[in-house]
Amino acid sequence: MGFYCEVANPCLIRELKREIGDNVLLLTFDGFAIYGKLQDIEDHRIAILAPPSNLTGIVIRRPDGGIFVQQVFTYLDLFTVVAKNTGLPLCPFVVTTDFE
C-alpha cells in the first residue's frame, strides 16, 4: 500500500462529487495548485478537470519556482489532494496569455 493511500481523504472526495461542474482550486501534497472546472470523478479516485469558464485552459502552478502550465484537460489523483477551494469566479493566480 502506497503513501498516498494513507493521505487520502474520503470526506474531501465526497464533497468534491457535489462540486462537479464548478470551478475548483485543488492543492496537492507535493505542492501543485490546479485551477480548473471539475468535470467528473472516476472510481472515487481520479478527478477529470477541464478549462474553467473564464479561461482557455487549466492553470497548474508547479512547486519549482511557481512556474505556470496551461493544459486543455488533466487527470488528477485525488489521493494527493489535501485542500480545495470551490466556486471561484476568477483565477486565483496572476495569469498571462504567454505560457511556456
Side-chain angles (χ1 to χ4, degrees), residues 5-100:
C5 291
E6 296 294 325
V7 177
N9 186 340
C11 294
L12 179 68
I13 295 171
R14 279 194 301 271
E15 285 181 24
L16 281 172
K17 285 185 179 184
R18 292 188 288 258
E19 304 292 341
I20 290 176
D22 290 341
N23 294 342
V24 295
L25 173 67
L26 300 174
L27 306 173
T28 65
F29 179 78
D30 49 358
F32 285 84
I34 298 102
Y35 175 66
K37 184 180 228 176
L38 185 61
Q39 293 294 307
D40 197 11
I41 295 177
E42 293 183 355
D43 299 328
H44 305 286
R45 182 169 182 164
I46 304 296
I48 301 171
L49 292 148
S53 53
N54 55 350
L55 294 174
T56 59
I58 298 164
V59 180
I60 300 174
R61 183 192 161 279
R62 293 176 28 193
D64 52 354
I67 298 171
F68 291 97
V69 178
Q70 187 176 24
Q71 295 180 336
V72 178
F73 72 94
T74 192
Y75 294 101
L76 178 65
D77 183 356
L78 290 175
F79 284 15
T80 65
V81 174
V82 294
K84 72 171 178 101
N85 192 344
T86 57
L88 299 169
L90 299 173
C91 183
F93 308 116
V94 176
V95 178
T96 64
T97 56
D98 300 327
F99 287 97
E100 297 179 10

